Amino acid sequence: MVTAVAQRLASQRKEIDDTLATFTLSTTQLQEVKAKMRVELERGLKKDTHPTASVKMLPTYVYRTPDGTERGKYLALDLGGTNFRVLVVKIRTGMRNSVRMYNKIYAIPLEIMQGTGEELFDHIVQCISDFLDYMGMKNTRLPLGFTFSFPCNQTDLVSWTKGFKATDCEGYDVVDMLREAIKRRNEFDLDIVAIVNDTVGTMMTCAYEDPKCQIGLIAGTGSNVCYMEEMKNIELVEGDEGQMCVNTEWGGFGENDNIEDIRTRYDREVDGGSLNPGKQRFEKMTSGMYLGEIVRQILIDLTKRGLLFRGRITERLKTKGIFETKFLSQIERYSSHLWHKLRSILQSLGLDSTCDDSIIVKEVCGAVSRRAAQLCGAGMAAIVDKIRENRGLDHLEITVGVDGTLYKLHPHFSTILKDTVRELAPNCKVDFILSEDGSGKGAALITAVIDKYLYAMRFSDETLRDIMARFRREMENGLGGDTNPTATVKMLPTFVRSIPDGSEKGDFIALDLGGSNFRILRVKVSHEKKQTVQMESQIYETPEDIIHGSGSRLFDHVAECLGDFMEKQKIKDKKLPVGFTFSFPCAHSKLDEAVLLTWTKRFKASGVEGMDVVKLLNKAIKKRGDYDADIMAVVNDTVGTMMTCGFDDQRCEVGIIIGTGTNACYMEELRHIDMVEGDEGRMCINTEWGAFGDDGTLEDIRTEFDREIDRGSLNPGKQLFEKMVSGMYMGELVRLILVKMAKEGLLFEGRITPELLTKGKFETKHVSAIEKSKEGLTKAKEILTRLGVEPSEDDCIAVQHVCAIVSFRSANLIAATLGAILTRLKDNKNSPRLRTTVGIDGSLYKMHPQYSRRLHKTVRRLVPESDVRFLLSESGSGKGAAMVTAWASRLADQTRQIHSTSIS
Ligand code: BG6
Ligand code: BG6
Ligand code: GLC
Ligand code: GLC
C-alpha cells in the first residue's frame, strides 16, 4: 500500500518534472537563441530583409543621449506600461541631477483600451486636462514628449501590442490622433514634439546619470530593447555618420517560426488566447503580461491531469489574467518552507491549495520566470556583442538602463538575466542600472535634445498625398473661368503651344533675369546636317539698390547691359530677335506682351507691377537710341527650361525650377484653359505654384519659422509655398531654427553670436555643404565656427540634422505639387500609365547633394503609375527662350509676308 502511494507520488512527481523540464534551456539552446536573435537584428536593419524581419529595428531619430546641457519645462505622457501617467518635467540648465518632476497616475479602463481610437485619445486628453488644472498650467503652451510604448514607424503606430486594441489607430499617426483629440476638446493647446518608445525614454533617463548607458531595456508588462546603432548600419535611414537609437521591438522575435523548438504547448495556448495571436511570440515568453498566463495554463493542465488542486478546476483558475506579475514575484519571494505564506497568496487569488499545491505552484512560477530571464539574457547578449563588433572592440564596457515591474519586483529575474548575459557574452562587461524615474523624464529629455520641430516638418506619405490633392484643386481653380479671378495659384497661359520640333534656326539674343544671375546670351541655331546650337553668354550684376529702386532705373540697367553685350558681340548695328526670360508671374495676351502681376523673390522695383515689361524695356532701349532690338517673346524660366530640355527630349512637357524661387509649367489641353479661346491642341501653363497656400490652405503645415521668414520678407503673406521650399529661404529657415535651439540651450551650449543673429548669414549653399555625406560634418564645423559659435561634435550632428529636415521637407513638398501635375497630365491623356520627361533647373536642385534623389524617390512613391525622366537643363533657360523666339519670329515673318502680299 505504502509503496503504491509512493509509486504514485513518484510518477506524479515525474510528470510534473517532465512538464517543467520543457521550460529548462541548456546553454547550447540559449546560445542558439542568441545567434538567431543576432540574425534577426541584422535582417531588421537591412533594407531588403526588413519587410520580412520579425525584429523590426525601428529607427527613432534620436541621435544622441543627453549630455547634461538640456533645459526647459516639458509635459510628458507615459502610456503603455502598467500605469498611464501625466507628468511635468523641469530641467535646469547645465547641471545633472537638476530635474524636478510632478506626476499623476490615471486609470485607463479596459473598455477604453479596447474601444475606439477616438475614445482612447479623448480619454488621454481628458486626463491631460485634469492634470493641467491640478498643476494650474492650462494657459502655458508646453512642449510635450509622449512615451508611447508601442511599435511606431516614426510617428505612425505599426500595431498595438500587450493589452491595447483600440480601433482605427494602427497605421495612423499618433501625433495627429492626439492633436485632433486636443482640437476636439478645444480647451488648451500643446506642442507635440516627440513620440518616444519606453525603452528609449528609459535609456535617456539613465544616460542622463551615466553617459555609458547606450541600451534601454524594458522587462515589464511588455519586453523590448533599444540601443545606439551606427548610422551606416541603419539602411532605412539616409546618412552614414554618427549613431542613432534603434527600437528593436524584439518582442516580435519568433514570428517567423524560428524559435518553435523552444516554445511549449502552454506558450501556444497563451498566444492563441491573446489579443494578437501569432504576434510578439518572444514577448509572450518573457514579459509580465504573459508569464502569469503561462503559469495559469500549466496549472490548469496539471489540475486536469489530477496533479494539482485535487483535480478541481475552479472558476478562479479559469479567469484570464489572475496571475499578475506582482503575484508571480510575491510567490517566488518566499522559499518553499514558508509554504503557509505561499498559501495565503494563493488564497488571496482565490485558489485554495494544500501545502504540496503551493510548493508546486511556486516551482511552476520559478521555471517560467527563469526561462523568461534567460531568454532576455540571450537577447541582450546578442545586442551587446553586436555593439562590441560595431566598434571593433575585443572588450566592451556598457551600461543598460532598465525599467519594468518584472525586473523591479521579481526576486530573481535580474540576477538570472545578468548571469546569462555574462555567460553568453563573456567579452562584454555589462552594467545594469535601474531607471528610478520612469521613462517620462527621458521623453522630456528627448524633447529637449532633438530638435523640437522635427515632427512638424516631417510628413507622412498620407499628408503628402493630401497636399497633392489640395494642389490639384488649386490648379483646377486657376484654370476655371469662374474660379480664376480668386484663385491663388494663377495658372497663367504662356502662349507657347509646343516644344521645339527641330526646325528652329537663326541668330538670337536671350535675356535671363530673375534667378541668381542676370545673364545675356547670344544663341545661334544653325541647320546644316543637323540642328546645332552655339551659345555665348555674360553675367551682369544686379545690385540691390537697382532691383529695389525705381522700375525705370531697373530697365535702364537692363538696356545698358544689353547694349554692352551687343557692343562686345559687335552686333550693335543689327536688330536681332530677343527672347526675354523674365522669371516672375506675368499675364500674357500674346507671346510678346507680359504684364507683371507681382514681384517675387528678391525683386521689388517700383512702378513695374501691372505694366507690360516688353514696353518698359523697349522704352528704355529707345531712350538710349544707340541700338535697336526686337523683343519677340517673354517666357518664364520654367518655360525656358522646359523648352531647353524639350530640345533634347521630345517627351518633355513639364518644366520646373527649384532655385532662388520655385515654380512649374506644363502642357495643358487648350480645352481646359477657360482663359484662352480655342479647344484644339495644347498650351504651356505657368502655374506659379510658389503662391500655393497664400489663401491659408497650408496653414496646418507651416511652422513658426515659416511665419517668421514670411514676416521678414519683401512680400509678406505672398508666395508662402515658395518660402517653405526654395533656395532663397532655406538657409534662413535653418538659421532661425538654430537660433531658437541655441536660445533654449539645445545647441552651442546656449551661445548666440551676433553673426548667428544676422539675417542671411546662413545660406542655402551652406545647407548643401553640410549635407554632403563624407565631409558634411567637417563643413558644419567650418561654417559654424565662422558664425563664432564654437560647435561641439554633437552640435555639428544636430545642425546637419536640422539641415536634412528642412531640405527633406522641401523635396517632399515639391514632390507633392509635381505629383499633382503628373496625375493631371495622366488624366488628360486618359492613359493608365504616364511616361513623361520633366525638365528641371535651379541651384538648389543642382547643388544640394541629396535633393534630387529624394525628390525623384518621393515622386515615384506618390505617383506610382508613372515613368518620369528628370532631365537637368545643362544650359539654363536661355536656349529654350531662343527656341520660343525662333518660333515667334517665324510667325512674325509669315504674318509680314501675308500682310505684304495682301497689300500688293
Ligand atoms: C515605467 C515607465 O517606469 O515602466 C514606462 O515609465 C514603461 O514608460 C514601464 O512602459 C514599463 O514597465 P511596466 O511593468 O509598467 O510595463
Ligand atoms: C538658370 C536659368 O539656369 O536657373 C534661369 O537659366 C533660372 O532662367 C535659374 O531662373 C533658376 O535657378 P536659380 O537658382 O538661379 O534661381
Ligand atoms: C511592447 C511594445 C514595445 C514596448 C514594450 C515594453 O513590446 O511593442 O514598444 O517597448 O512592450 O513596454
Ligand atoms: C518665382 C517666380 C516664378 C519663377 C520662380 C523660379 O516663383 O514668381 O515666376 O518661375 O520664382 O525662378
Side-chain angles (χ1 to χ4, degrees):
M1 183 64 185
V2 174
T3 34
V5 171
Q7 261 174 5
R8 187 164 55 84
L9 282 180
S11 95
Q12 284 187 347
R13 185 65 237 176
K14 183 163 183 316
E15 272 194 57
I16 293 168
D17 287 345
D18 287 350
T19 303
L20 296 187
T22 56
F23 286 84
T24 310
L25 299 174
S26 66
T27 304
T28 319
Q29 279 176 309
L30 289 171
Q31 260 152 358
E32 258 169 42
V33 172
K34 176 190 168 193
K36 285 177 187 166
M37 179 67 87
R38 177 65 191 264
V39 170
E40 287 303 298
L41 297 178
E42 304 295 350
R43 281 171 36 80
L45 286 172
K46 298 246 163 359
K47 221 181 241 163
D48 49 339
T49 43
H50 175 86
T52 58
S54 64
V55 177
K56 280 296 175 207
M57 306 296 277
L58 302 168
T60 64
Y61 299 91
V62 171
Y63 289 84
R64 63 175 176 123
T65 50
D67 61 4
T69 59
E70 297 73 18
R71 71 163 183 189
K73 186 157 131 193
Y74 304 96
L75 200 63
L77 300 180
D78 187 354
L79 178 82
T82 317
N83 294 311
F84 169 47
R85 215 184 277 269
V86 187
L87 321 82
V88 62
V89 183
K90 290 185 193 164
I91 311 168
R92 298 223 312 276
T93 340
M95 280 180 283
R96 285 185 191 274
N97 309 317
S98 53
V99 177
R100 282 213 269 162
M101 307 205 299
Y102 308 88
N103 77 75
K104 222 173 151 189
I105 290 177
Y106 291 89
I108 300 198
L110 190 69
E111 64 271 19
I112 285 191
M113 279 162 78
Q114 299 176 12
T116 69
E118 207 170 291
E119 282 161 1
L120 173 64
F121 280 90
D122 282 346
H123 178 74
I124 293 172
V125 172
Q126 190 189 328
C127 298
I128 302 176
S129 164
D130 174 86
F131 182 77
L132 292 176
D133 279 337
Y134 170 75
M135 298 292 298
M137 296 193 325
K138 264 255 163 78
N139 297 321
T140 36
R141 182 176 168 154
L142 290 180
L144 171 89
F146 187 178
T147 305
F148 183 71
S149 308
F150 301 95
C152 285
N153 217 334
Q154 296 188 22
T155 51
D156 292 348
L157 171 63
V158 177
S159 58
W160 288 117
T161 55
K162 301 176 283 190
F164 282 72
K165 197 77 201 168
T167 54
D168 298 326
C169 294
E170 291 178 341
Y172 289 98
D173 187 318
V174 182
V175 177
D176 284 350
M177 290 189 281
L178 183 59
R179 206 176 271 149
E180 270 154 31
I182 294 175
K183 223 187 264 167
R184 276 198 295 278
R185 194 168 177 100
N186 196 19
E187 201 190 336
F188 55 88
D189 216 347
L190 297 171
D191 278 325
I192 308 165
V193 171
I195 295 285
V196 180
N197 188 262
D198 51 354
T199 53
V200 185
T202 300
M203 178 185 80
M204 297 297 274
T205 302
C206 294
Y208 194 62
E209 315 298 335
D210 174 358
K212 277 221 307 289
C213 177
Q214 300 195 315
I215 304 178
L217 165 70
I218 297 286
T221 315
S223 170
N224 193 15
V225 167
C226 73
Y227 71 99
M228 296 304 291
E229 175 57 276
E230 306 302 314
M231 278 291 282
K232 61 177 186 299
N233 294 341
I234 311 174
E235 291 189 357
L236 300 184
V237 181
E238 285 188 18
D240 281 345
E241 312 265 343
Q243 301 181 326
M244 183 190 281
C245 177
V246 168
N247 166 15
T248 66
E249 286 293 330
W250 80 5
F253 182 47
E255 280 174 18
N256 52 359
D257 291 342
N258 61 347
I259 50 169
E260 288 311 295
D261 53 333
I262 57 166
R263 284 175 87 220
T264 65
R265 47 176 285 212
Y266 309 107
D267 294 309
R268 295 197 177 93
E269 241 146 299
V270 169
D271 181 32
S274 68
L275 288 175
N276 50 354
K279 298 271 171 330
Q280 299 292 101
R281 295 194 199 167
F282 189 66
E283 176 157 271
K284 287 172 188 163
M285 299 167 84
T286 52
S287 81
M289 177 157 170
Y290 305 97
L291 295 192
E293 271 305 284
I294 303 177
V295 169
R296 194 176 65 87
Q297 291 299 339
I298 301 174
L299 299 188
I300 291 177
D301 182 47
L302 294 182
T303 311
K304 274 189 191 153
R305 285 149 64 189
L307 303 168
L308 205 60
F309 301 135
R310 300 180 205 90
R312 278 208 320 273
I313 299 182
T314 56
E315 276 312 304
R316 239 356 240 181
L317 195 55
K318 281 195 217 149
T319 316
K320 204 167 143 185
I322 51 159
F323 271 98
E324 293 173 38
T325 323
K326 64 175 184 221
F327 292 121
L328 212 84
S329 302
Q330 284 171 10
I331 291 169
E332 285 201 68
R333 193 161 295 138
Y334 298 112
S335 57
S336 301
H337 67 271
L338 292 174
W339 63 268
H340 56 281
K341 291 229 176 186
L342 294 174
R343 215 172 136 187
S344 70
I345 297 168
L346 289 177
Q347 245 153 12
S348 73
L349 287 175
L351 299 173
D352 199 11
S353 61
T354 63
C355 152
D356 282 351
D357 286 343
S358 15
I359 293 170
I360 294 170
V361 172
K362 181 176 145 59
E363 282 178 9
V364 172
C365 291
V368 171
S369 56
R370 178 177 186 80
R371 185 189 64 163
Q374 287 178 324
L375 287 175
C376 279
M380 185 56 76
I383 301 233
V384 290
D385 254 349
K386 172 156 176 63
I387 298 177
R388 184 177 62 74
E389 286 170 31
N390 278 347
R391 300 185 191 169
L393 297 173
D394 293 331
H395 184 81
L396 173 76
E397 279 187 32
I398 198 160
T399 302
V400 181
V402 199
D403 205 346
T405 42
L406 183 59
Y407 185 92
K408 283 198 212 174
L409 301 179
H410 193 282
H412 314 303
F413 187 90
S414 64
T415 317
I416 302 171
L417 166 74
K418 289 174 195 166
D419 289 348
T420 313
V421 176
R422 209 171 301 125
E423 187 177 5
L424 299 186
N427 296 326
C428 302
K429 181 177 172 299
V430 186
D431 284 329
F432 290 81
I433 58 174
L434 195 61
S435 153
E436 303 287 351
D437 303 319
S439 61
K441 176 165 144 190
L445 285 167
I446 289 174
T447 311
V449 170
I450 56 171
D451 77 73
K452 301 160 77 167
Y453 317 100
L454 192 123
Y455 293 96
M457 290 195 167
R458 205 178 271 282
F459 302 128
S460 63
D461 278 2
E462 203 182 322
T463 310
L464 291 178
R465 283 203 187 89
D466 182 46
I467 294 167
M468 192 163 128
R470 290 186 215 176
F471 187 63
R472 192 65 207 258
R473 280 195 294 278
E474 294 291 323
M475 290 170 71
E476 273 147 30
N477 284 343
L479 288 172
D482 302 341
T483 41
N484 174 276
T486 56
T488 34
V489 176
K490 279 294 171 206
M491 305 296 281
L492 302 165
T494 63
F495 292 83
V496 170
R497 292 168 196 266
S498 65
I499 58 162
D501 62 6
S503 67
E504 298 76 8
K505 61 175 180 213
D507 194 353
F508 307 98
I509 286 183
L511 300 176
D512 187 354
L513 180 75
S516 27
N517 293 311
F518 169 37
R519 199 189 289 266
I520 304 182
L521 311 88
R522 173 129 180 235
V523 185
K524 283 189 216 162
V525 192
S526 58
H527 234 275
E528 262 111 65
K529 271 181 219 128
K530 108 183 202 291
Q531 196 179 24
T532 48
V533 179
Q534 261 188 335
M535 296 203 294
E536 282 170 86
S537 79
Q538 189 171 339
I539 290 178
Y540 289 89
E541 297 271 301
T542 43
E544 187 150 322
D545 61 316
I546 288 188
I547 61 181
H548 293 173
S550 75
S552 53
R553 225 181 120 209
L554 171 65
F555 282 93
D556 285 348
H557 176 69
V558 173
E560 189 188 325
C561 297
L562 181 56
D564 174 78
F565 184 78
M566 291 176 73
E567 174 102 51
K568 287 198 177 123
Q569 290 281 327
K570 303 197 175 60
I571 44 172
K572 245 185 158 173
D573 52 334
K574 292 190 184 161
K575 187 179 178 184
L576 292 186
V578 175
F580 186 6
T581 305
F582 183 67
S583 308
F584 302 95
C586 290
H588 287 261
S589 50
K590 47 189 180 169
L591 262 180
D592 60 352
E593 190 187 281
V595 174
L596 174 67
L597 293 177
T598 168
W599 285 118
T600 56
K601 301 178 283 191
R602 300 180 205 283
F603 281 66
K604 192 89 193 161
S606 60
V608 187
E609 289 175 347
M611 307 291 279
D612 177 359
V613 295
V614 177
K615 285 210 181 97
L616 293 179
L617 181 55
N618 272 334
K619 202 166 130 197
I621 294 172
K622 213 161 261 149
K623 200 161 78 189
R624 295 174 58 86
D626 57 341
Y627 67 89
D628 214 350
D630 197 356
I631 304 162
M632 309 240 52
V634 176
V635 294
N636 188 263
D637 52 355
T638 55
V639 183
T641 299
M642 180 184 81
M643 297 299 276
T644 301
C645 294
F647 184 81
D648 296 318
D649 180 343
Q650 285 277 318
R651 207 172 253 132
C652 185
E653 50 188 346
V654 183
I656 76 176
I657 299 286
I658 310 172
T660 314
T662 183
N663 190 15
C665 71
Y666 73 102
M667 298 302 293
E668 177 59 89
E669 304 298 316
L670 206 50
R671 63 178 189 280
H672 294 153
I673 310 173
D674 289 357
M675 253 63 59
V676 180
E677 276 180 27
D679 275 346
E680 292 296 318
R682 305 206 290 173
M683 180 180 281
C684 177
I685 290 287
N686 166 17
T687 64
E688 285 295 330
W689 74 17
F692 181 29
D694 288 5
D695 58 352
T697 16
L698 295 177
E699 283 320 291
D700 57 333
I701 58 164
R702 288 177 73 226
T703 64
E704 58 175 287
F705 307 105
D706 297 309
R707 298 199 168 90
E708 206 172 329
I709 291 270
D710 180 44
R711 278 197 296 275
S713 69
L714 287 175
N715 50 353
K718 292 205 179 137
Q719 300 289 102
L720 297 185
F721 180 71
E722 180 160 88
K723 287 171 188 163
M724 294 172 84
V725 298
S726 81
M728 177 161 166
Y729 308 96
M730 185 167 285
E732 194 52 16
L733 265 174
V734 171
R735 189 185 67 83
L736 291 178
I737 299 176
L738 300 189
V739 169
K740 171 108 181 190
M741 286 175 80
K743 276 190 182 153
E744 297 191 355
L746 291 174
L747 278 179
F748 320 132
E749 293 178 345
R751 245 187 327 268
I752 297 174
T753 59
E755 289 91 336
L756 187 62
L757 286 175
T758 310
K759 191 168 163 185
K761 274 284 173 187
F762 199 97
E763 296 174 44
T764 302
K765 64 173 191 228
H766 296 147
V767 177
S768 298
I770 289 175
E771 284 195 64
K772 292 216 169 92
S773 62
K774 291 278 170 296
E775 73 263 44
L777 287 176
T778 321
K779 290 277 179 227
K781 187 149 207 150
E782 276 170 32
I783 292 161
L784 294 169
T785 306
R786 248 179 279 139
L787 293 177
V789 291
E790 299 171 33
S792 70
E793 197 97 320
D794 279 348
D795 286 335
C796 294
I797 293 173
V799 170
Q800 192 177 52
H801 188 48
V802 172
C803 290
I805 289 160
V806 173
S807 63
F808 221 123
R809 180 182 73 157
S810 163
N812 276 342
L813 286 174
I814 298 256
T817 45
L818 178 58
I821 292 183
L822 295 174
T823 48
R824 182 161 177 102
L825 275 176
K826 186 175 87 64
D827 293 350
N828 280 348
K829 293 182 185 186
N830 217 345
S831 73
R833 240 194 129 69
L834 175 71
R835 204 167 150 209
T836 193
T837 297
V838 174
I840 193 161
D841 202 352
S843 45
L844 179 57
Y845 180 85
K846 285 202 270 203
M847 314 286 280
H848 189 286
Q850 329 265 1
Y851 199 98
S852 56
R853 194 165 37 93
R854 290 174 186 164
L855 174 70
H856 303 171
K857 235 164 96 177
T858 314
V859 168
R860 296 201 173 108
R861 241 187 12 255
L862 294 179
V863 195
E865 60 289 346
S866 66
D867 306 299
V868 183
R869 174 174 184 220
F870 289 88
L871 187 59
L872 185 66
S873 155
E874 302 284 355
S875 41
S877 65
K879 180 161 131 188
M883 295 298 149
V884 178
T885 310
W887 184 76
S889 52
R890 191 159 60 194
L891 201 74
D893 283 348
Q894 283 165 1
T895 323
R896 255 195 304 274
Q897 271 169 19
I898 295 167
H899 199 62
S900 55
T901 5
S902 59
I903 286 174
S904 57

